[in-house]
Amino acid sequence: MAPDSAGPKSRLKSLDPDIRRARKSPILDAIDTEALLDMRKLRAYRLGRFRAELKKRDCMGALLYDPINIRYATGSRNMAVWTLHNAVRYAFIPTEGPITIFDFHNCEHLSDGLETVAEVRPAVGWTYFGGGSRLEEFAKRWSAEIVDLVKTHGGGNRRLAVDKLDPVGTHGLEAAGIQIVEGQAVCELARAIKSDEEIACMVTSVTACETGMARMREALKPGMTENELWSLLHQANIAAGGEWIETRLLTSGGRTNPWFQESSDRVIRSGELVSFDTDLIGPFGYCADISRTYFCGHGKPTDEQKQLYGLAYEQIHTNLDLVKAGIGFREFSEKSFRLPEKCAPNRYSVVFHGVGLADEYPASIYAQDYEKGGYDGVLEAGMTICIESYMGEVGGLEGVKLEQQILVTETGYQLLSTFPFEEQLLPSRWL
């Protein structure tokens, strides 16, 4: 590449928006992000997969409200958490033709530099928050604009994939002759197979996440609260150019069993387990979903603590050995590690789940749950998934949470999460 004669600020402004954000990260200084990532190639791959799924369903295009889906298809982002519950940002993506982003008030500049976005228009907010007593009026204005785009780019096809939409909007589009097609499947299936650039983004996010995990491990001491410890992961993520954390899953002592209790101001005591699940949306918007359990203090873990940890460790590695392209979701579940009888009632919701810009398709649940809530499919090379374990006896004092994030390959898997397990908690047979 020829030397750039422009000043530092000019060079930074000319970079891709996501690259500019990552370049400001002190944690990721050692990573040559520009050399690692071709963001245009990444966006072209993602949009190509999305449009291929639209074509399979004979849809003329899609209307997306979920900010994660918008980002996947276009690379454009804005206030993702806020717009998850405020319907003031959406994208119209024709199967063939120019993409239009409808953005929040005075936010048009946020899509500057994105070759995927042809036009940015002001969004029409017609939820009750945005429309109040004029909701119906605003919804009619909104639907007229969407209908016009369908007519312009559909070539007579009125099948429109939609990921999420309130009843007033649904009724307005249907009244105008638009056939609404379930759109979340389009998004999930498109997102399932990752490109090399996506894997590089995910590794960057995992790096930021494991930096925070290391800081937590180093700082953990009796007398600090769960929230104090949990805040260190948030700080590391934001400093690295990350975005948010989806849950508050860090607990200690007796609050580790059953699982799914949220981080609190409880003081952590010496000799207790601390279990957590990162659920972290890091740099470039990719998820690092890793779970670990630490031991607090300088004493020795009890036999019960080591037994639970050993079982969780065994479950993770037994199930990792099953991973390869071609295995079915249900087959995986049926061959997976069998929980001890006392731990089965407190089992986790899934044996594995997909991960990308968030937790996503596919998922495999426990064999005893399949008739009620499972579905089948096949693991494919290029999928990224998380292998889950939670081990806690009914009525037991504590529980252990472990999870590994991996890339599925033709013959097995590649670890994406590399944070070490706790040797002092492992039974001797695993050392």
Side-chain angles (χ1 to χ4, degrees):
M1 181 181 294
D4 188 346
S5 59
K9 289 185 179 179
S10 298
R11 287 200 300 271
L12 190 60
K13 187 174 181 181
S14 70
L15 294 173
D16 183 280
D18 276 324
I19 296 294
R20 291 202 302 269
R21 295 175 187 122
R23 283 285 290 265
K24 297 176 183 179
S25 163
I27 289 176
L28 302 178
D29 277 348
I31 298 177
D32 186 350
T33 314
E34 286 177 85
L36 185 70
L37 294 172
D38 182 339
M39 299 305 293
R40 282 177 171 259
K41 186 176 179 182
L42 178 143
R43 287 191 291 268
Y45 172 84
R46 296 193 311 200
L47 181 57
R49 282 192 59 85
F50 182 72
R51 283 177 158 161
E53 291 294 333
L54 289 173
K55 288 178 181 177
K56 288 179 184 178
R57 291 160 178 77
D58 189 30
C59 291
M60 64 73 49
L63 174 65
L64 303 180
Y65 266 93
D66 187 321
I68 293 174
N69 291 334
I70 294 172
R71 186 168 191 173
Y72 181 83
T74 70
S76 180
R77 82 176 202 196
N78 184 16
M79 301 184 290
V81 175
W82 194 69
T83 56
L84 277 169
H85 60 92
N86 288 287
V88 294
R89 189 174 197 263
Y90 45 100
F92 179 84
I93 303 172
T95 304
E96 295 181 3
I99 292 173
T100 303
I101 295 282
F102 293 84
D103 219 327
F104 187 61
H105 174 73
N106 283 346
C107 289
E108 295 84 356
H109 56 283
L110 293 177
S111 294
D112 287 352
L114 291 177
E115 72 291 341
T116 51
V117 180
E119 181 183 5
V120 182
R121 301 183 189 180
V124 179
W126 50 267
T127 59
Y128 197 78
F129 173 39
S133 61
R134 300 178 66 184
L135 186 153
E136 297 278 351
E137 172 193 342
F138 293 167
K140 287 180 180 178
R141 185 195 309 167
W142 166 87
S143 62
E145 199 166 13
I146 300 302
V147 169
D148 179 66
L149 286 169
V150 172
K151 290 179 178 178
T152 300
H153 300 291
N157 184 341
R158 293 199 166 202
R159 289 171 54 81
L160 181 67
V162 180
D163 61 353
K164 53 192 295 187
L165 191 61
D166 289 346
V168 174
T170 300
H171 298 158
L173 293 181
E174 289 178 337
I178 304 300
Q179 183 182 350
I180 294 177
V181 177
E182 201 289 310
Q184 190 59 34
V186 175
C187 300
E188 295 276 352
L189 290 171
R191 286 160 50 181
I193 307 295
K194 307 316 190 277
S195 69
D196 289 345
E197 289 73 27
E198 288 189 276
I199 298 302
C201 286
M202 189 174 289
V203 169
T204 305
S205 185
V206 168
T207 300
C209 181
E210 293 187 338
T211 298
M213 292 167 64
R215 291 179 181 176
M216 293 166 65
R217 190 68 192 90
E218 183 179 354
L220 176 60
K221 62 183 179 181
M224 72 187 311
T225 67
E226 294 172 352
N227 286 338
E228 284 180 281
L229 186 63
W230 189 230
S231 72
L232 299 178
L233 184 64
H234 288 260
Q235 194 280 333
N237 186 39
I238 299 303
E243 303 192 12
W244 71 87
I245 295 178
E246 302 249 80
T247 60
R248 292 176 53 88
L249 293 175
L250 180 145
T251 51
S252 61
R255 298 187 71 247
T256 59
N257 187 19
W259 191 237
F260 289 117
Q261 302 187 62
E262 296 192 328
S263 180
S264 73
D265 59 2
R266 180 187 185 274
V267 174
I268 304 168
R269 302 174 64 183
S270 182
E272 292 183 332
L273 298 180
V274 177
S275 297
F276 63 91
D277 190 342
T278 61
D279 292 318
L280 178 149
I281 308 301
F284 305 106
Y286 279 83
C287 184
D289 191 1
I290 308 163
S291 297
R292 290 294 186 268
T293 295
Y294 298 155
F295 178 78
C296 180
H298 298 293
K300 292 184 177 181
T302 66
D303 290 342
E304 181 181 357
Q305 288 171 332
K306 294 178 74 170
Q307 180 185 29
L308 288 172
Y309 196 95
L311 286 167
Y313 183 88
E314 183 178 3
Q315 180 178 21
I316 289 287
H317 288 86
T318 298
N319 292 348
L320 281 172
D321 287 343
L322 295 173
V323 175
K324 63 178 180 179
I327 189 170
F329 306 158
R330 186 160 192 164
E331 178 188 0
F332 190 104
S333 174
E334 291 169 349
K335 292 180 176 178
S336 66
F337 180 85
R338 287 294 174 261
L339 294 174
E341 185 176 344
K342 289 184 178 180
C343 296
N346 282 349
R347 63 188 174 275
Y348 199 70
S349 57
V350 296
V351 178
F352 73 71
H353 64 79
V355 63
L357 291 175
D359 287 354
E360 57 191 32
Y361 175 89
S364 176
I365 62 177
Y366 281 86
Q368 57 265 50
D369 300 323
Y370 246 91
E371 292 305 322
K372 182 179 180 180
Y375 59 84
D376 211 350
V378 176
L379 281 180
E380 299 178 55
M383 286 183 170
T384 46
I385 64 173
C386 293
I387 304 295
E388 295 270 11
S389 176
Y390 173 74
M391 206 66 64
E393 294 185 359
V394 174
L397 179 61
E398 293 177 298
V400 170
K401 182 75 170 65
L402 299 178
E403 179 182 11
Q404 288 286 65
Q405 189 161 330
I406 65 173
L407 168 67
V408 179
T409 67
E410 290 291 350
T411 57
Y413 66 91
Q414 178 182 338
L415 278 177
L416 299 177
S417 56
T418 59
F419 197 87
F421 293 96
E422 301 292 297
E423 287 191 3
Q424 65 176 331
L425 282 169
L426 280 171
S428 58
R429 71 181 183 276
W430 295 115
L431 297 175

